[in-house]
Amino acid sequence: MWSKLAHYILRFRVTLMVILAAITVFMGYQSQNIKWSYDLANIVPEQDADMIYFRQFRKTFGEDGNIMAIGIQDSSVYQLENFEKFSKLTYTLEKKEGIRNVLGLPNLQKLERNNQKMAFELKPVFEEVPEDQKTLDSLLEEAKSLKFYSGQLINDTNGATLLLITIKKDILNSKNRDQLVDCIIDEGKKFEENSGIDVHFAGLPYSRSITTSKVKAELNMFLVLSLIVTGIILFLFFRSFKAVVFPLIIIGVVVVWVMGTLALLGYKITLLTGLIPPIIVVIGIPNSVYMLNRYHHEFNEHGDQMKALSRIIRKIGVVTFITNLTTAVGFFVLATTQINVLVEFGIVAGINIMATFIVSIILIPGVFSLYKPPSQKHLKHLKFKMLDWVIKKIDVAVHKMRPAIFILTIAVVAVSAVGLYKIKAVSFMVDDIPEKSPLKKDLRFFEKNFSGIMPLEIIIDTGTKKGVQNLRNLRKINEFENFISSIDGISQPISVVSFAKAARQAFFNQDESFYSLPSNREMAFIMRYLREGETEDLSQSFIDSTGQYVRVSLKIADIGSNKLDSLVNQVIAPQIDSIFMDSKMIVNVTGTTLMFIKGNKFLIENLLTSMLIAFVIIAFIMALLFRNLKMIIISIIPNIIPLLITAGIMGYFGIPLKPSTALIFSIVFGISVDDSIHFLAKYRQELFAKKFDVSKAISKSIRETGSSMIYTSIILFFGFIIFVLSEFGGTIALGKLTSITLFFAMITNVVVLPALILQFDSGKRDRSKHPLIEEIPELAEGIDDDDKSQKKKKTTN
């Protein structure tokens, strides 16, 4: 098959290259239709009970993650001149398209009792900016007396204050969000410049916008850097511009195909799928390295260019196909996670890794057949003294120091296993952001002064329609809210209870001492005032249309998944059971923050499951190739060890298991096993050629595949290490840990794998049974069909 394929590719190489060019143009045209995704990634399955409840909550009460905040902690903001500027900022933001409302001191509303209408009216505290400081101070005292806003807009202890900006839903998940957030930031900075008062920004719209913008810039940077780094390394290895340009052209073609695939499948670019182009650059280059290295080896042996190019396809083609397949499996298994962002990432990456094989197997032989044969200058890398010295040392060590290799390997695995048990799984809403970044510093400001800015929602089902009007129910909710208020890191709750208290305070002429739930008698009067008043819009945000469901809205610090899980399940849940035990009310905790944390936990579990699936599939591929349990185990061991080492490093250095780090394992396993397949395929060829002398077959395999394995590992190492230049901890961890894992995978595949084969493979074969690797002539022979002497050898064996 592969002999025919080699003949076909070389004979119709120009036609095939024209077809590839046409496909590339088509994919490039399609890529114009790609759009960025601005939706908050949904990583909890749609059928999950908590997700269903969360969707119902949003349908009833609206979005909870659409608020951006501007924070100030400077007493000078209460000076007349600066307060006027602060008011101008507030009313300027109110007029911006895409902003639903702005709430802050300058436009603060209060409930005012109108005895003639027997109703409450909403009146501004500051009808206009006061003309003198004395009037301003008086109105500020009035504002501070409104207990409803205490801890929400004003910090009573240090005077810090907030502007809460609610963004419309249709803007929140569109490209206009970033423009609007930039506009809000610009207005805030103008105020900062004019007043000399520092401003702080926070909220999910802000963090999502900043993160997306930075990731966009980084993806372009990494794509360029990966091309530069791989190009430099290729030139250092091969000392030929052709050996640099054409592999990069191959990668460029596949990158265009990636964008075209996204467009054709209707996928948007997410923070994850945006990583595919630079990853493809790094992963795709080894194909070219193996093929070019084999081409130079073959040409150096017999000097026949077309014969050498034909042998690339015949001898390396099937091995390259299998290695690309195992790498693609590491990505394809992500499609089993039921998480859309991972499914899209896995499908697009897997398809285009296989596309890399097709483009490489056509372009490398096709293009180089049109050029002059390599000169002696281009073949110098075959006799690279330092690399040759390293490979000889490895060969000696494998043959003479196997006990030491095994003892050292066992010791490393044991130490890594201890580190493995130290790994902790934790994730944050604003994850992977450097501590020194403005975003993180601003977040700390809000956590210090207002107990955080991340939304957390509690929904209480009173059990009956209009149950919210039952004072006994409100007292239960109030008891629960008092408990919530006592917890560090959680803001003062806002709910219908807060409105009832504010209404009582307003009913008694804003006397602070009356900020509490009304009595049964007072409730009748207050409810009449509320029904006739202007508070319907406010109440709809916290009570459903039937009056049965009550929303308690909180803000929480970004305390991480572990602490939040403990807080909800070990602190809040027991108290819910205790307070509401003798009532019909049912209480549920929900909200964007909780769903995000749950999603990350679900994501980690699914990534680990996908790694196990990849492991099983790749082991199955090995079983098909070798049909020998001993060889399957021998081939898998060197690729598990690097994963254990990486897990150990994570445990010892406190690197948490989170989506960005869990993603590494299934991907790297698919990549690292490629070296094993290349080595074992060469070993089986040499085993037949050396008359089943295991020692000689191992030596020849190390010498011929060792250099390619080292070359590709170096490219992969430096290709992934560039991600440490990122500002995001997750991307840094992805680059650092992947590079480390692949480095150790190179060592285990070059040293441990041949040592294991020498120790456990006798070289004997049951001549009546042939594993698949021996049934494929291109893998089994290592010879030319027209080489009579080798034919005779094949017949004998």
Side-chain angles (χ1 to χ4, degrees):
M1 172 188 169
W2 290 92
S3 297
K4 291 179 180 178
L5 184 63
H7 176 73
Y8 184 86
I9 288 173
L10 290 173
R11 183 179 178 184
F12 299 102
R13 56 189 180 276
V14 175
T15 303
L16 291 171
M17 285 190 282
V18 170
I19 292 171
L20 288 181
I23 294 172
T24 305
V25 170
F26 172 75
M27 288 296 199
Y29 176 77
Q30 291 296 321
S31 66
Q32 298 177 87
N33 302 321
I34 295 179
K35 296 178 181 178
W36 269 85
S37 172
Y38 292 92
D39 298 329
L40 186 63
N42 180 17
I43 49 181
V44 179
E46 292 294 326
Q47 65 273 21
D48 181 84
D50 289 335
M51 189 65 198
I52 293 171
Y53 191 87
F54 179 59
R55 286 203 307 273
Q56 185 60 45
F57 155 75
R58 288 195 298 186
K59 184 178 179 181
T60 305
F61 296 106
E63 290 285 337
D64 68 328
N66 59 342
I67 293 176
M68 181 172 169
I70 297 178
I72 295 170
Q73 186 188 355
D74 192 326
S75 59
S76 65
V77 75
Y78 301 115
Q79 294 172 4
L80 186 59
E81 183 181 356
N82 286 331
F83 191 81
E84 185 176 2
K85 294 173 183 176
F86 190 44
S87 298
K88 182 180 178 182
L89 170 64
T90 303
Y91 293 114
T92 299
L93 291 175
E94 273 189 333
K95 297 174 184 176
K96 296 291 181 184
E97 187 176 352
I99 292 178
R100 195 171 76 192
N101 58 60
V102 178
L103 180 62
L105 269 177
N107 65 352
L108 204 63
Q109 301 280 310
K110 62 179 180 178
L111 280 177
E112 194 169 275
R113 176 181 174 183
N114 187 323
N115 290 326
Q116 290 182 344
K117 295 181 180 179
M118 295 189 70
F120 285 121
E121 296 177 337
L122 284 171
K123 297 286 185 180
V125 174
F126 301 89
E127 293 188 3
E128 58 183 10
V129 178
E131 295 183 355
D132 57 77
Q133 186 68 43
K134 185 177 179 181
T135 305
L136 174 62
D137 291 342
S138 176
L139 290 172
L140 286 171
E141 285 302 315
E142 182 182 350
K144 290 178 182 178
S145 73
L146 301 174
K147 304 298 288 183
F148 177 83
Y149 297 107
S150 179
Q152 299 291 341
L153 292 178
I154 307 165
N155 184 315
D156 295 333
T157 305
N158 58 24
T161 187
L162 291 179
L163 279 182
L164 296 177
I165 304 154
T166 304
I167 297 174
K168 292 179 180 178
K169 182 181 177 181
D170 59 334
I171 298 294
L172 190 66
N173 294 323
S174 73
K175 64 180 180 181
N176 296 325
R177 180 198 65 205
D178 293 347
Q179 297 172 3
L180 180 59
V181 169
D182 288 342
C183 183
I184 294 170
I185 294 171
D186 288 342
E187 293 296 336
K189 292 296 183 183
K190 284 180 187 177
F191 168 75
E192 187 176 71
E193 291 174 7
N194 293 333
S195 64
I197 296 172
D198 291 336
V199 297
H200 305 271
F201 303 97
L204 282 180
Y206 172 68
S207 61
R208 286 172 61 190
S209 178
I210 296 299
T211 302
T212 302
S213 299
K214 286 183 177 294
V215 169
K216 279 184 181 179
E218 285 194 356
L219 293 180
N220 293 326
M221 176 186 75
F222 289 138
L223 181 57
V224 172
L225 278 177
S226 61
L227 289 169
I228 292 172
V229 168
T230 51
I232 290 172
I233 295 172
L234 281 172
F235 182 76
L236 291 175
F237 285 163
F238 294 107
R239 302 302 176 110
S240 167
F241 284 105
K242 284 188 292 184
V244 174
V245 172
F246 291 112
L248 292 183
I249 288 174
I250 290 169
I251 294 305
V253 167
V254 179
V255 167
V256 173
W257 288 23
V258 167
M259 308 308 286
T261 305
L262 285 167
L264 289 172
L265 294 176
Y267 297 158
K268 294 180 180 180
I269 299 180
T270 63
L271 302 185
L272 203 53
T273 54
L275 284 173
I276 296 176
I279 287 175
I280 285 288
V281 171
V282 178
I283 292 176
I285 285 294
N287 284 351
S288 299
V289 172
Y290 274 109
M291 288 183 181
L292 287 174
N293 206 38
R294 187 56 183 251
Y295 171 46
H296 290 169
H297 266 291
E298 292 287 344
F299 184 79
N300 191 50
E301 281 187 12
H302 49 70
D304 188 327
Q305 184 184 22
M306 294 306 290
K307 185 177 178 181
L309 291 170
S310 177
R311 282 188 170 185
I312 291 177
I313 302 168
R314 291 168 52 201
K315 294 185 179 181
I316 296 294
V318 64
V319 181
T320 307
F321 172 78
I322 295 169
T323 56
N324 277 251
L325 178 61
T326 55
T327 301
V329 163
F331 288 91
F332 275 133
V333 292
L334 299 177
T336 65
T337 59
Q338 306 176 49
I339 301 170
N340 286 340
V341 288
L342 279 182
V343 170
E344 293 174 6
F345 176 71
I347 289 174
V348 174
I351 288 172
N352 285 281
I353 286 169
M354 295 311 298
T356 306
F357 164 74
I358 295 170
V359 176
S360 301
I361 204 72
I362 292 173
L363 285 188
I364 290 290
V367 167
F368 281 87
S369 69
L370 301 176
Y371 282 89
K372 293 179 181 179
S375 65
Q376 286 302 311
K377 181 182 72 173
H378 299 144
L379 301 177
K380 277 186 178 180
H381 71 91
L382 299 176
K383 299 178 180 179
F384 184 30
K385 290 183 179 179
M386 183 176 292
L387 183 59
D388 190 49
W389 179 84
V390 170
I391 289 173
K392 285 180 179 177
K393 290 295 182 182
I394 291 171
D395 191 17
V396 171
V398 166
H399 282 82
K400 297 184 177 181
M401 301 174 65
R402 284 201 306 282
I405 291 172
F406 294 146
I407 291 170
L408 180 60
T409 302
I410 292 169
V412 169
V413 168
V415 172
S416 299
V418 174
L420 173 64
Y421 285 100
K422 295 178 180 288
I423 293 180
K424 295 180 180 178
V426 62
S427 54
F428 293 83
M429 281 290 285
V430 182
D431 212 350
D432 301 327
I433 304 295
E435 287 296 326
K436 295 182 180 179
S437 71
L439 196 156
K440 208 61 165 289
K441 289 180 179 178
D442 283 352
L443 183 63
R444 297 291 174 255
F445 167 85
F446 288 94
E447 290 178 349
K448 178 182 177 183
N449 293 287
F450 297 97
S451 300
I453 198 69
M454 300 303 173
L456 187 67
E457 305 288 343
I458 296 172
I459 307 302
I460 301 172
D461 178 1
T462 60
T464 58
K465 290 183 178 180
K466 296 185 180 180
V468 68
Q469 297 179 16
N470 186 319
L471 188 58
R472 186 166 179 265
N473 289 343
L474 292 183
R475 286 172 179 162
K476 286 282 184 183
I477 297 171
N478 184 50
E479 182 184 353
F480 176 64
E481 287 188 6
N482 289 336
F483 164 73
I484 291 291
S485 300
S486 68
I487 301 173
D488 290 336
I490 297 183
S491 71
Q492 187 78 18
I494 297 181
S495 72
V496 65
V497 169
S498 312
F499 285 113
K501 291 179 179 179
R504 185 171 188 261
Q505 183 180 355
F507 192 81
F508 290 100
N509 300 315
Q510 301 300 350
D511 188 332
E512 291 182 59
S513 64
F514 285 94
Y515 185 76
S516 60
L517 280 175
S519 64
N520 284 323
R521 184 181 176 189
E522 292 167 346
M523 191 70 174
F525 287 100
I526 290 172
M527 287 303 297
R528 185 190 310 167
Y529 273 73
L530 284 171
R531 280 195 296 268
E532 300 296 328
E534 304 171 347
T535 60
E536 185 178 355
D537 289 342
L538 288 173
S539 62
Q540 281 180 349
S541 297
F542 295 92
I543 309 170
D544 81 314
S545 58
T546 67
Q548 179 172 334
Y549 294 90
V550 175
R551 173 188 182 184
V552 179
S553 189
L554 312 164
K555 296 291 184 292
I556 188 170
D558 190 14
I559 58 178
S561 55
N562 290 347
K563 289 183 179 178
L564 181 60
D565 188 60
S566 297
L567 177 65
V568 171
N569 294 309
Q570 298 177 25
V571 178
I572 296 178
Q575 199 67 23
I576 289 172
D577 294 338
S578 173
I579 293 173
F580 297 97
M581 179 175 55
D582 57 347
S583 72
K584 295 180 180 179
M585 290 189 279
I586 300 171
V587 182
N588 287 286
V589 184
T590 187
T592 298
T593 302
L594 195 66
M595 295 311 298
F596 179 86
I597 297 300
K598 177 173 183 176
N600 274 358
K601 184 178 179 181
F602 182 82
L603 186 59
I604 291 169
E605 290 172 355
N606 275 267
L607 285 171
L608 295 177
T609 301
S610 69
M611 186 196 75
L612 293 175
I613 294 171
F615 177 85
V616 170
I617 293 173
I618 291 170
F620 179 71
I621 292 171
M622 294 295 196
L624 285 177
L625 284 174
F626 300 109
R627 296 177 187 170
N628 183 311
L629 181 60
K630 187 190 296 182
M631 290 302 294
I632 295 169
I633 295 171
I634 286 173
S635 64
I636 293 294
I637 287 175
N639 297 291
I640 292 178
I641 293 170
L643 301 181
L644 284 173
I645 293 173
T646 300
I649 290 171
M650 289 172 63
Y652 286 119
F653 287 91
I655 301 172
L657 187 66
K658 50 189 175 182
S660 55
T661 51
L663 186 65
I664 295 166
F665 293 96
S666 61
I667 293 174
V668 171
F669 183 72
I671 298 172
S672 66
V673 81
D674 293 355
D675 281 341
S676 296
I677 293 172
H678 273 289
F679 186 88
L680 289 167
K682 182 61 182 173
Y683 167 66
R684 297 303 281 250
Q685 291 175 3
E686 294 301 329
L687 196 61
F688 279 85
K690 304 300 181 187
K691 297 182 179 180
F692 302 100
D693 187 321
V694 174
S695 180
K696 289 181 180 179
I698 286 291
S699 293
K700 188 72 182 295
S701 300
I702 291 173
R703 287 198 297 272
E704 291 207 10
T705 61
S707 57
S708 293
M709 290 163 73
I710 292 171
Y711 284 169
T712 55
S713 296
I714 290 172
I715 290 173
L716 289 168
F717 179 86
F718 285 102
F720 277 104
I721 204 69
I722 61 173
F723 289 107
V724 301
L725 299 175
S726 172
E727 289 188 40
F728 298 97
T731 310
I732 293 170
L734 177 68
K736 192 184 296 181
L737 294 175
T738 302
S739 296
I740 290 171
T741 309
L742 291 172
F743 173 76
F744 284 112
M746 175 192 70
I747 294 174
T748 54
N749 277 300
V750 174
V751 179
V752 178
L753 177 59
L756 287 170
I757 295 172
L758 268 175
Q759 185 69 32
F760 297 105
D761 189 20
S762 64
K764 295 177 182 179
R765 296 292 176 265
D766 185 343
R767 294 173 184 263
S768 64
K769 296 179 181 179
H770 294 279
L772 186 62
I773 199 168
E774 292 172 11
E775 291 175 358
I776 300 174
E778 291 77 10
L779 286 176
E781 296 173 18
I783 56 174
D784 278 330
D785 289 340
D786 57 352
D787 189 325
K788 293 181 180 179
S789 63
Q790 294 293 351
K791 272 187 177 183
K792 185 177 179 181
K793 182 183 292 186
K794 179 185 175 185
T795 304
T796 304
N797 289 330

